Amino acid sequence: MTLIEDRVRFYSDGIPMSAVLVVDELPPATSRPAFVYSHGWGGAVNAGALPLVRLLAGVGYVGLAIDHRGFAHSGGTRARCDPNEQARDVSNAVDFLLARTDVDPDRVIVVGASFGGAIAVLSAARDRRLAAAAVLVGVGDGERWLRGVHGDEAWPALLERLRADAVTRATTGRGELVSFSTLLPGPDGPSAPDLDPIASMYPHGYPLENLGLAIACRPEDQIAAISPRPVVLIGIDDDSVVPIDET
């Protein structure tokens, strides 16, 4: 088995999008299942995605790991994460896959990890062409998740900072840019995720607005709309970013 990886481009709401397409080089006897992979909140895109994408491509899937708008090689407002826009990115990626002759239109699914798991749920709830959703350590309720991460003591000041940022954006057109650790403070210790690679990808920071957009995101309120199509939810006991009871 030999896998072919290509950097490909498509468009989402007119924005040029980048993705990595992974497929077995052997021509299939019939059309294959396919999936769109949605990356996590920090935009670490293909660093964590490609091993899983390659694994699934190796058993017959056409895999498409997308850079959501604003992240990595895609266009759009840099590092801005709007869950509704990202769900549209997934749907437009489905359009891209369905233009291929080797993709079975009845077997296209969405896969997402961490906040990308939230996007997977939103996407499948809204786009019935998606035959299933696979959610890896996904976020079920953005406000509950982030309040748990930041803590009750820090939460009121954070909400006030968000309100002030909304006023600034409304009056100047530009909001505050912050480090990723401001949006998502990580735990200390050997199990803590390494945020340095993410920080190096976005040296100018992330819009503080991302926090408010994530707070308003409640995938668990929409998951019922996926029925009767299947959803796979996978949690990890010791995940340091998304607790298992949030998945």
Side-chain angles (χ1 to χ4, degrees):
M1 177 191 67
T2 301
L3 297 179
I4 299 173
E5 294 184 16
D6 286 324
R7 174 69 63 175
V8 298
R9 300 193 73 80
F10 66 99
Y11 290 86
S12 184
D13 297 341
I15 298 169
M17 305 289 292
S18 181
V20 174
L21 182 78
V22 185
V23 64
D24 190 334
E25 71 171 352
L26 293 177
T30 59
S31 56
R32 320 182 209 209
F35 67 94
V36 179
Y37 184 95
S38 174
H39 61 71
W41 203 32
V45 288
N46 298 317
L50 284 180
L52 176 60
V53 175
R54 292 174 184 134
L55 178 67
L56 293 176
V59 295
Y61 281 83
V62 176
L64 187 67
I66 66 174
D67 299 344
H68 280 291
R69 66 182 73 190
F71 290 95
H73 303 286
S74 290
T77 302
R78 191 66 175 162
R80 184 175 186 270
C81 179
D82 183 322
N84 295 311
E85 292 177 347
Q86 292 195 342
R88 292 202 299 274
D89 293 342
V90 171
S91 287
N92 285 300
V94 172
D95 289 329
F96 175 84
L97 285 172
L98 293 181
R100 294 177 58 91
T101 58
D102 59 348
V103 169
D104 183 342
D106 295 323
R107 294 190 294 164
V108 179
I109 70 170
V110 59
V111 180
S114 192
F115 201 74
I119 304 306
V121 171
L122 296 182
S123 301
R126 299 172 187 182
D127 191 336
R128 299 196 66 82
R129 297 175 302 171
L130 289 163
V135 180
L136 316 177
V137 292
V139 173
D141 180 303
E143 181 174 12
R144 182 180 60 218
W145 169 56
L146 288 169
R147 184 165 188 157
V149 169
H150 285 270
D152 289 338
E153 185 175 341
W155 193 246
L158 194 60
L159 294 182
E160 182 56 39
R161 187 173 176 182
L162 276 175
R163 285 190 285 268
D165 183 64
V167 172
T168 300
R169 284 186 283 108
T171 55
T172 71
R174 300 183 65 180
E176 184 179 359
L177 296 176
V178 298
S179 67
F180 187 62
S181 61
T182 299
L183 299 178
L184 187 65
D188 296 324
S191 65
D194 182 7
L195 298 180
D196 288 341
I198 298 178
S200 66
M201 293 174 69
Y202 307 100
H204 300 296
Y206 296 74
L208 181 63
E209 179 190 12
N210 286 5
L211 198 62
L213 292 167
I215 287 171
C217 180
R218 293 177 56 88
E220 66 186 23
D221 287 351
Q222 300 191 38
I223 196 169
I226 302 174
S227 179
R229 294 165 293 152
V231 180
V232 177
L233 302 173
I234 300 173
I236 300 175
D237 280 335
D238 60 350
D239 190 274
S240 60
V241 177
V242 181
I244 193 167
D245 59 357
E246 181 57 47
T247 297

